[in-house]
Amino acid sequence: MSRLHLHLVSDSTGETLEMVAKAALAQFEDADIVRHFWPMVRSKQHLDRIVPELAANPGLVLFTLVNPDTRGRLEDHCRQLSLPSVPAIDAVTEALEEQLGQEAHGRPGRQHLMDDAYFKRVDAIHYTIAHDDGIGWENWEEADIVLAGVSRSSKTPTSIYLANRGYKTANIPLVIESPPPEILYKLENPLVVGLTTAPERLVQIRRNRLLSLNEQAETSYIDDERVREEVKFARRMFADNGWPVIDVTRRSIEETAAAVINLVGERDRREIPPRIGPKPI
């Protein structure tokens, strides 16, 4: 397989462009890709400094440049070098212009403006970090989402991902010997979501965790029967309280978070009044 040089040229942070490239490349197995990342390209001078690298490493050029002069200059260079160039979000922007009946502003980095959505996301991240692993349960009513599950069921990384999407997220580990705070059963604002996984997979994850800590001893933490009891205990709690459940066994963090966000949207669309009354076990 031949090697492909992929040049990502952006007039902003390049986050959007990287995500588009990553999503597209995921459709190709064992692709030999060399990425060249060029963010914050906002002047002809900056662009001209990149051209020698394009010539030295010919390949595919993906770009998100909204300034017509800078964009035109890049396209001219690519034509001179016989390099294919693709504007990554043009089709979406043009479709929106047609449907909205207005032209795009053409200003780079507008998705990173420090607007209300930005500060909401920052608040969500602060809240989520402060309410990890059962901490700060007194303030759970302020959360948008509360994730519950046994140890190593991906609660923390999923919470952080959701926080980056603007959702205040708390999480609580479920332990048979230590019942969760009573407030968990009385929450009205947040959506409580149970995370579960296959016991065999959970044992494997826990073993890897202990090995990373140089712990060699066999404990109940990785005992097959004990782990099955923990998962059964958690599932019973989810069912008794009517909480939606997501099986994370074969899901990535991003997929789990997307499923949680979908559940939040479904609840908002149904506008069902919050459940009243605890059902502890």
Side-chain angles (χ1 to χ4, degrees), residues 10 23 40 86 118 201 223 270:
S10 172
M40 305 303 291
V86 179
Y118 172 85
R201 176 62 174 158
D223 178 74
R270 289 195 306 264

Side-chain angles (χ1 to χ4, degrees), residues 18-34:
E18 282 194 301
M19 291 176 65
V20 170
K22 181 179 179 181
L25 286 171
Q27 306 302 315
F28 301 89
E29 295 183 0
D30 302 322
D32 186 6
I33 305 295
V34 179

Side-chain angles (χ1 to χ4, degrees), residues 12-220:
S12 186
T13 63
E15 180 182 352
T16 300
L17 191 55
E18 282 194 301
M19 291 176 65
V20 170
K22 181 179 179 181
L25 286 171
Q27 306 302 315
F28 301 89
E29 295 183 0
D30 302 322
D32 186 6
I33 305 295
V34 179
R35 291 180 177 83
H36 304 267
F37 185 44
W38 312 103
M40 305 303 291
V41 179
R42 297 184 176 180
S43 68
K44 295 179 182 179
Q45 294 77 13
H46 189 172
L47 181 60
D48 289 344
R49 291 197 298 270
I50 295 172
V51 173
E53 293 292 335
L54 298 180
N57 300 285
L60 175 62
V61 179
L62 299 183
F63 66 87
T64 50
L65 300 173
V66 296
N67 182 279
D69 293 335
T70 309
R71 175 195 177 113
R73 195 173 186 87
L74 174 63
E75 291 174 327
D76 288 342
H77 283 306
C78 288
R79 278 192 293 270
Q80 293 168 12
L81 296 170
S82 298
L83 300 180
S85 62
V86 179
I89 62 173
D90 269 25
V92 177
T93 303
E94 289 168 4
L96 287 171
E97 286 180 331
E98 181 177 347
Q99 294 298 314
L100 296 173
Q102 57 177 286
E103 292 186 2
H105 289 291
R107 281 178 255 167
R110 284 183 59 84
Q111 71 270 38
H112 301 296
L113 289 176
M114 297 176 67
D115 54 9
D116 289 343
Y118 172 85
F119 288 109
K120 178 182 178 182
R121 190 164 63 252
V122 171
D123 286 343
I125 293 171
H126 287 166
Y127 179 92
T128 299
I129 292 174
H131 295 81
D132 181 42
D133 207 29
I135 297 173
W137 55 266
E138 303 90 345
N139 302 316
W140 279 353
E141 193 60 47
E142 300 174 14
D144 300 306
I145 300 163
V146 175
L147 301 180
V150 299
S151 173
R152 313 311 296 180
S153 56
S154 73
K155 298 183 300 298
T156 295
T158 303
S159 296
I160 296 299
Y161 188 92
L162 288 167
N164 277 278
R165 295 289 299 273
Y167 295 91
K168 291 183 178 179
T169 309
N171 73 77
I172 173 71
L174 300 180
V175 182
I176 296 177
E177 297 83 5
S178 179
E182 287 292 316
I183 192 175
L184 179 64
Y185 310 107
K186 303 176 183 178
L187 296 172
E188 297 184 3
N189 177 63
L191 176 66
V192 181
V193 178
L195 301 184
T196 189
T197 188
E200 300 79 10
R201 176 62 174 158
L202 190 57
V203 169
Q204 180 184 0
I205 292 173
R206 290 183 176 183
R207 283 186 183 277
N208 292 338
R209 173 60 175 169
L210 291 181
L211 286 174
S212 71
L213 299 173
N214 294 320
E215 293 286 344
Q216 305 293 333
E218 292 289 323
T219 68
S220 61

Side-chain angles (χ1 to χ4, degrees), residues 158 161-162 165 167 246 251-265:
T158 303
Y161 188 92
L162 288 167
R165 295 289 299 273
Y167 295 91
I246 297 174
R251 293 179 189 262
S252 65
I253 298 303
E254 294 86 352
E255 290 171 330
T256 300
V260 173
I261 293 172
N262 187 53
L263 289 171
V264 172

